Amino acid sequence: MEEQIKQQRAEAVYKVLCEMLDRHEVHYEKCEEDLLVRFGMNGDDLPMQFLMLVDKERSLLRLLSPLSFAVQEDKRLDTALAINALNNRLPEGNFDYDIASGRICFRIASCFEDCEIASTVPEYLLFLASVVVDKYNDKFLMFSKGAISLEQLLSAETE
C-alpha cells in the first residue's frame, strides 16, 4: 500500500512539474516512466542543460544541470578547491564535481514527503538553478583554462 501511495505522490509531482514547464513554454523531452524531463536554456554566455526528475524512493524533486565541458587534467585539483569554496557561499544547491572526469554539475532538490507540492516549487528550483549556473558556468570554464584566478571566480558572487 505504501508503495502505491509513493507512486501516486511522485506522479502528482511530475504532473505539477510538466504543467509548470508548459505554462512557461519550455520545450522539453519527457520520460514518463522514469518521471524525468530534459531541456536546455540559453544563458548569457554558455547554453545550459537541465534534468528535472522525481525521485519516488526518497520523495525528492531533483534538478541537475551538468556543465557543457570537462576540466582539463592539470586544473582539476584547483577546480576542486574552487568548487568547495564556492559551495560554502551558495545559499542553496551545490556544484558536484567528479575530479576523475573533470565534470561539474549543479544540483538542488526539494522534498515532497507527506505533502502536496505547489507549482512554485519546481519554478523556484529552475529559477535558482538557471541564475546560479548562468552566473558561474563561464567562470568555471575560464578558471579551468587558467584565464581567471580563484579570487576572480569567487568575486562573481558579489556582482
Side-chain angles (χ1 to χ4, degrees):
M1 181 68 165
E2 181 158 329
E3 189 63 31
Q4 184 179 8
I5 292 170
K6 276 186 170 185
Q7 183 67 31
Q8 289 172 343
R9 283 193 183 131
E11 288 172 1
V13 170
Y14 186 70
K15 181 179 178 200
V16 168
L17 167 61
C18 292
E19 287 172 350
M20 182 275 299
L21 293 171
D22 290 339
R23 195 170 48 258
H24 290 285
E25 299 179 357
V26 175
H27 299 287
Y28 59 97
E29 174 188 333
K30 280 174 123 172
C31 183
E32 290 183 7
E33 69 183 41
D34 294 328
L35 301 176
L36 68 85
V37 296
R38 286 186 176 91
F39 55 95
M41 296 175 76
N42 291 324
D44 288 337
D45 302 298
L46 299 172
M48 301 176 290
Q49 294 298 314
F50 295 96
L51 171 71
M52 293 184 80
L53 62 118
V54 179
D55 182 335
K56 176 182 74 170
E57 296 308 315
R58 296 188 290 173
S59 300
L60 293 174
L61 174 58
R62 301 177 62 208
L63 182 147
L64 304 168
S65 183
L67 302 192
S68 61
F69 60 90
V71 176
Q72 302 171 80
E73 277 192 55
D74 64 329
K75 296 298 282 180
R76 290 186 181 169
L77 185 56
D78 291 341
T79 301
L81 297 172
I83 287 174
N84 182 62
L86 180 60
N87 280 341
N88 286 327
R89 295 173 176 215
L90 293 176
E92 285 191 77
N94 64 281
F95 285 96
D96 291 337
Y97 180 54
D98 181 347
I99 199 166
S101 69
R103 303 299 294 180
I104 303 169
C105 182
F106 183 77
R107 174 176 50 125
I108 190 168
S110 183
C111 183
F112 60 85
E113 188 166 13
D114 295 329
C115 65
E116 290 185 26
I117 199 165
S119 65
T120 54
V121 174
E123 227 167 31
Y124 172 75
L125 295 179
L126 180 55
F127 171 76
L128 180 68
S130 63
V131 168
V132 171
V133 171
D134 193 32
K135 186 174 189 176
Y136 290 105
N137 60 3
D138 60 318
K139 290 170 183 55
F140 276 128
L141 178 60
M142 291 188 296
F143 180 78
S144 73
K145 293 182 177 288
I148 64 171
S149 67
L150 176 59
E151 293 76 24
Q152 289 170 308
L153 171 71
L154 296 178
S155 72
E157 182 176 295
T158 59
E159 293 174 359

